[in-house]
Amino acid sequence: MYETPELDDDVLVRTHEIRVHDTEAFEGMRAAGKLVAQALDMITEFAVPGITTQEIDDRIREFTLDHGALPACLGYKGYEKTVCTSINHVVCHGIPGDRVLKEGDVVNIDHTVIVDGWHGDSSRMYAIGEINTRARKLIDVTYDSLEAGLAMVKPGNTFGDIGWAIQQVVEANRMSVVRDFCGHGIGRLFHDSPNVLHYGRRGEGAVLKTGMFFTIEPMVNLGKPHVKVLSDGWTAVTRDKSLSAQCEHTVGVTEDGVELFTASPAGLFRPKF
Ligand code: MF3
Ligand code: CO
Ligand code: CO
């Protein structure tokens, strides 16, 4: 004889359903979002010619641990670093290492922390020294597309509205949205339902409800949207070697719109050229 185990309906598994969180969860996400933003603020002064991506990883890991948080990427599906550092034609998931950043590089640093069980996930672009006009334009369009997506976040709108708004901005500038990676639900789970696409049609997809938490993290290429993953199993690059940029916020849906959990306390989210 055995007793049927009680099934907890709030276990940490991803299902097709989109979770709706309570007030306490918002408090948890505020703390996690603030810490990841502070880590990305902290690294700004070090994102200069001569630094290696490994030094960036070390500084962010130490900062995170010193603040009593856990680096979510470290050990995640076998990933061995704290952050992703995606340089120039690297779309996402670039692995920190010996590479020395040089004048003219554009780098995305993507970091996720866990604070009291809640995940804060954010990434930004960093311009290394002086960057050229095309690179600036790409970064501007990428940030503008994220803002257009964020502007669609309110109860009653759909995930398709978010993707549509991002795609409009990118394609109006003759750039392309990467299709192979998307944003995601987030909370006590790092990657929860739904997949948040950065392209789409107005009115399609799930309806946004107060209490949903997710990331929006558009990847934008100057050339074609196609990517390939290198033999390290992580590094995604543009197939045509064109420049790529990304930025990411973790947000919550509120009664009157959106709460940005990962806003920069120092006002450094968008790089200044
Ligand atoms: N932070 C990334 C995201 O935005 C995930 C990186 S997964 C890792 O979802 F394993 F590479 F860390
Ligand atoms: Co993310
Ligand atoms: Co991220």
Side-chain angles (χ1 to χ4, degrees):
M1 281 282 276
Y2 68 95
E3 272 187 300
T4 309
E6 286 274 321
L7 279 178
D8 186 340
D9 61 7
D10 201 31
V11 284
L12 281 178
V13 289
R14 181 171 177 156
T15 69
H16 66 279
E17 259 163 280
I18 305 174
R19 263 172 250 272
V20 164
H21 298 85
D22 61 12
T23 310
E24 222 176 290
F26 272 84
E27 286 299 334
M29 292 300 282
R30 269 174 211 134
K34 184 175 180 186
L35 187 68
V36 74
Q38 286 171 325
L40 293 175
D41 283 351
M42 175 280 295
I43 208 67
T44 306
E45 66 174 293
F46 299 103
V48 291
I51 196 171
T52 64
T53 50
Q54 183 60 54
E55 285 175 71
I56 290 172
D57 196 76
D58 290 339
R59 286 191 181 276
I60 294 183
R61 187 183 57 258
E62 275 160 32
F63 181 94
T64 302
L65 294 171
D66 284 350
H67 286 78
L70 291 172
C73 294
L74 193 57
Y76 181 81
K77 295 186 175 174
Y79 193 73
E80 291 179 344
K81 302 290 174 173
T82 290
V83 298
C84 299
T85 48
S86 302
I87 308 168
N88 300 338
H89 74 296
V90 178
V91 172
C92 64
H93 301 163
I95 305 172
D98 299 338
R99 167 71 147 86
V100 177
L101 297 184
K102 60 179 196 299
E103 183 93 14
D105 284 336
V106 294
V107 188
N108 175 275
I109 304 177
D110 190 343
H111 183 38
T112 308
V113 300
I114 311 173
V115 177
D116 291 334
W118 297 100
H119 290 77
D121 183 5
S122 185
S123 83
R124 302 180 191 168
M125 296 305 296
Y126 296 82
I128 308 305
E130 285 289 313
I131 61 170
N132 69 33
T133 314
R134 289 294 285 158
R136 289 182 202 193
K137 180 71 184 163
L138 170 66
I139 292 172
D140 276 335
V141 169
T142 304
Y143 276 74
D144 289 349
S145 78
L146 174 58
E147 282 178 17
L150 291 169
M152 301 305 287
V153 179
K154 62 176 178 198
N157 275 0
T158 69
F159 282 96
D161 293 333
I162 297 172
W164 172 82
I166 292 166
Q167 187 180 4
Q168 287 290 308
V169 170
V170 171
E171 292 179 358
N173 286 281
R174 298 176 313 281
M175 299 178 191
S176 60
V177 174
V178 171
R179 307 292 207 270
D180 302 64
F181 297 96
C182 55
H184 47 92
I186 190 169
R188 290 195 177 278
L189 283 180
F190 188 175
H191 293 116
D192 205 349
S193 285
N195 288 336
V196 179
L197 306 183
H198 303 116
Y199 57 93
R201 294 174 199 264
R202 288 215 80 160
E204 290 192 352
V207 176
L208 303 183
K209 294 196 181 95
T210 303
M212 288 180 175
F213 298 160
F214 52 88
T215 71
I216 308 180
E217 46 183 303
M219 282 140 276
V220 177
N221 298 347
L222 273 183
K224 296 263 156 52
H226 311 105
V227 312
K228 66 175 180 191
V229 176
L230 301 186
S231 58
D232 61 23
W234 287 102
T235 312
V237 299
T238 54
R239 283 195 172 267
D240 63 7
K241 306 269 170 60
S242 70
L243 216 55
S244 187
Q246 180 180 23
C247 52
E248 174 178 25
H249 270 315
T250 296
V251 308
V253 183
T254 64
E255 263 154 46
D256 38 38
V258 62
E259 179 169 345
L260 279 188
F261 294 128
T262 47
S264 164
L268 297 172
F269 187 68
R270 197 191 264 251
K272 296 169 182 71
F273 315 120

